[in-house]
């Protein structure tokens, strides 16, 4: 978790949970605070799902703890056995995310032995914390993974383009390059996490008539991620194979020029999606043709079998795939802005969404 709205909301939810617990004279209020901390989720859908799952598992856990407490009081061995049983039940129900907070409820209830009034008190404290977290998450700065994704995509691309523009010339210090590359991979993974949140909300919440339009955006966002992954693979290929091939200055210029074209095309596609550039349907076709010419030229050189060409072909293949994915993204952006998809296109869009695989 980075410093942001979720941090503030967690603090507010804890405060609200403590205040409500004190107002209702429920003790100890720390249980409500712990529940609020556990229940703060990164999206509205996950908050709602977590609330429902916690409601189910906490009822089961509290019931088992109350029943066991009648026979074993607060015996430490009995508490451990019930905790194991509750964990197994949560796993069987497919609600492993609820285990931590459910166990807090179990321990708190069993601590009260057979006094059902205290058991209900502790159970309600957990529900107060969960409810406060859900309420605050929805009302105050509700999570907007789509806006966060759109804001971060250019930041990630800029990091990647800097590395791609300097990787062939080997201008960047090795330790700096590795640090920047590791940071790039982490930010791409963070984008992938944001995408999963968007996908969950669109598929599960299904809000109104704009669902289909949101799914079309998901297709584009997913392809954006795939393109970034392919760009990162070019960095891997260059680092692993290019310099071991002992390329000449002419070869450096040949690869560097192609990389510059790919980066520029990628940047134009992202700007086109944001509707900042004029749509040009021929641009993608021209880039695909350029990508083909690059490979043909390399194959012709390979037939001459210069030293190290096998390693260079691995790098070229990674660059070709990167360019292919950019061209695919460009086509999707063109279709999106033309708005040529009607209700009959829903199945193809769904199929395309499933066909784009991420790492």
């Amino acid at each position: 978790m980075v410093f942001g709205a979720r941090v503030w909301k967690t603090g507010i939810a804890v405060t609200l949970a403590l205040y409500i617990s004190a107002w209702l004279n429920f003790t100890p209020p720390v249980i409500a605070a712990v529940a609020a901390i556990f229940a703060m989720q990164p999206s509205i859908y996950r908050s709602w799902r977590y609330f429902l799952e916690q409601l189910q598992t906490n009822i089961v856990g509290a019931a088992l703890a109350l029943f066991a407490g009648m026979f074993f009081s607060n015996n430490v061995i009995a508490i451990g056995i019930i905790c194991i049983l509750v964990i197994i039940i949560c796993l069987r129900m497919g609600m492993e995310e609820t285990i931590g907070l459910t166990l807090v409820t179990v321990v708190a209830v069993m601590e009260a032995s057979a006094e059902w009034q205290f058991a209900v008190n502790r159970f309600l404290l957990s529900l107060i914390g969960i409810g406060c977290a859900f309420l605050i998450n929805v009302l105050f700065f509700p999570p907007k993974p789509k806006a966060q994704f759109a804001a971060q995509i250019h930041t990630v691309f800029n990091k990647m383009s800097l590395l791609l523009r300097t990787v062939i010339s080997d201008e960047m210090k090795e330790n700096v390059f590795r640090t920047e590359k590791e940071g790039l991979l982490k930010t791409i993974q963070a984008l992938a996490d944001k995408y999963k949140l968007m996908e969950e909300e669109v598929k599960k919440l299904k809000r109104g008539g704009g669902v289909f339009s949101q799914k079309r955006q998901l297709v584009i966002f997913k392809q954006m991620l795939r393109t970034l992954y392919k760009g990162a693979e070019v960095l891997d290929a260059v680092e692993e194979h290019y310099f071991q091939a002992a390329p000449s200055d002419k070869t450096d210029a040949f690869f560097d020029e192609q990389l510059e074209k790919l980066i520029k095309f990628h940047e134009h596609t992202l700007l086109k999606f944001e509707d900042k550039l004029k749509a040009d349907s021929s641009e993608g076709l021209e880039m695909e043709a350029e990508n083909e010419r690059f490979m043909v030229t390399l194959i012709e050189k390979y037939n001459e079998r210069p030293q190290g060409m096998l390693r260079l072909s691995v790098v070229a293949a990674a660059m070709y795939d990167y360019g292919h994915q950019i061209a695919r993204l460009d086509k999707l952006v063109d279709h999106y802005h033309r708005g040529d998809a009607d209700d009959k296109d829903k199945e193809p869009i769904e199929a395309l969404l499933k066909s784009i695989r991420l790492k």
Side-chain angles (χ1 to χ4, degrees):
M1 183 190 299
V2 297
F3 184 79
R6 191 175 169 194
V7 176
W8 292 104
K9 289 190 292 186
T10 300
I12 295 172
V14 168
T15 302
L16 182 62
L18 291 172
Y19 177 79
I20 293 176
S21 301
W23 181 57
L24 296 174
N25 292 320
F26 286 172
T27 55
V30 68
I31 295 176
V34 171
I37 294 170
F38 273 97
M40 187 58 64
Q41 297 295 308
S43 73
I44 294 176
Y45 166 70
R46 286 194 180 181
S47 292
W48 176 244
R49 186 188 68 183
Y50 190 84
F51 178 80
L52 293 179
E53 291 180 353
Q54 281 289 358
L55 187 62
Q56 297 174 61
T57 56
N58 269 266
I59 289 174
V60 173
L64 284 174
L66 183 59
F67 181 76
M70 293 178 181
F71 292 94
F72 305 106
S73 184
N74 55 3
N75 181 275
V76 291
I77 296 178
I79 293 176
I81 293 173
I82 295 300
C83 285
I84 294 172
L85 183 59
V86 168
I87 292 173
I88 294 173
I89 293 173
C90 290
L91 292 175
R92 285 289 185 178
M93 294 173 69
M95 300 178 182
E96 55 271 11
E97 291 182 5
T98 67
I99 290 175
L101 186 52
T102 303
L103 292 181
V104 171
T105 302
V106 168
V107 174
V109 170
M110 288 199 71
E111 182 195 13
S113 303
E115 297 292 333
W116 67 269
Q117 297 95 334
F118 289 101
V120 171
N121 172 74
R122 280 152 175 72
F123 173 68
L124 291 177
L125 279 168
S126 295
L127 291 187
I128 288 172
I130 298 170
C132 287
F134 176 72
L135 189 66
I136 295 299
N137 205 26
V138 172
L139 296 180
F140 292 88
F141 307 107
K144 296 179 180 179
K146 177 184 170 182
Q148 293 170 345
F149 185 98
Q152 291 178 13
I153 192 73
H154 270 291
T155 301
V156 178
F157 168 74
N158 289 336
K159 286 184 178 182
M160 188 180 76
S161 65
L162 174 63
L163 292 174
L164 287 173
R165 283 188 166 105
T166 57
V167 68
I168 296 295
S169 58
D170 198 22
E171 296 172 291
M172 194 174 290
K173 292 181 179 180
E174 186 175 347
N175 62 327
V176 176
F177 177 84
R178 291 190 179 279
T179 301
E180 291 293 324
K181 184 182 172 185
E182 288 175 5
L184 172 66
L185 296 177
K186 288 179 180 178
T187 52
I188 294 177
Q189 184 56 50
L191 272 180
D193 294 338
K194 289 286 190 304
Y195 172 81
K196 289 178 182 178
L197 295 177
M198 287 189 294
E199 191 175 41
E200 284 180 347
E201 291 202 339
V202 171
K203 289 185 176 180
K204 302 297 183 180
L205 297 184
K206 298 182 179 179
R207 302 169 183 166
V211 175
F212 181 50
S213 176
Q214 292 178 35
K215 285 186 176 179
R216 291 172 63 200
Q217 285 187 343
L218 277 182
V219 173
I220 294 177
F221 288 150
K222 197 169 188 177
Q223 182 61 24
M224 284 181 177
L225 271 174
R226 182 172 176 79
T227 305
L228 288 173
Y229 276 125
K230 291 300 178 181
E233 287 179 6
V234 173
L235 293 172
D236 289 334
V238 172
E239 190 176 13
E240 186 71 23
H241 296 284
Y242 187 80
F243 299 107
Q244 289 80 346
S248 63
D249 292 341
K250 188 176 180 181
T251 302
D252 285 347
F254 176 64
F255 275 81
D256 215 8
E257 181 182 357
Q258 182 64 14
L259 267 179
E260 185 62 37
K261 291 177 181 177
L262 293 175
I263 294 166
K264 185 177 180 181
F265 183 37
H266 193 170
E267 183 179 32
H268 279 204
T269 304
L270 293 177
L271 292 173
K272 189 192 297 184
F273 175 70
E274 296 176 356
D275 212 14
K276 293 181 178 179
L277 296 179
K278 296 178 181 179
D280 184 4
S281 58
S282 64
E283 185 181 14
L285 296 175
E286 291 174 1
M287 193 61 229
E288 283 188 291
E290 181 63 35
N291 218 20
E292 295 284 348
R293 284 195 293 270
F294 172 73
M295 290 302 294
V296 168
T297 303
L298 187 75
I299 291 172
E300 290 174 352
K301 290 186 176 183
Y302 175 70
N303 288 334
E304 299 171 5
R305 296 190 180 275
Q307 185 180 6
M309 188 55 70
L310 283 174
R311 284 185 176 272
L312 293 179
S313 65
V314 174
V315 179
M319 291 170 58
Y320 178 85
D321 199 12
Y322 174 46
H324 173 72
Q325 297 304 327
I326 301 173
R328 192 179 186 189
L329 175 61
D330 183 69
K331 290 178 182 177
L332 290 173
V333 170
D334 284 339
H335 283 305
Y336 177 77
H337 282 305
R338 283 203 304 267
D340 57 356
D342 54 26
D343 288 342
K344 291 184 286 187
D345 291 324
K346 287 186 179 181
E347 282 191 19
I349 288 292
E350 290 281 6
L352 186 57
L353 184 58
K354 293 178 181 179
S355 71
I356 302 175
R357 299 181 180 274
L358 300 179
K359 273 192 173 183

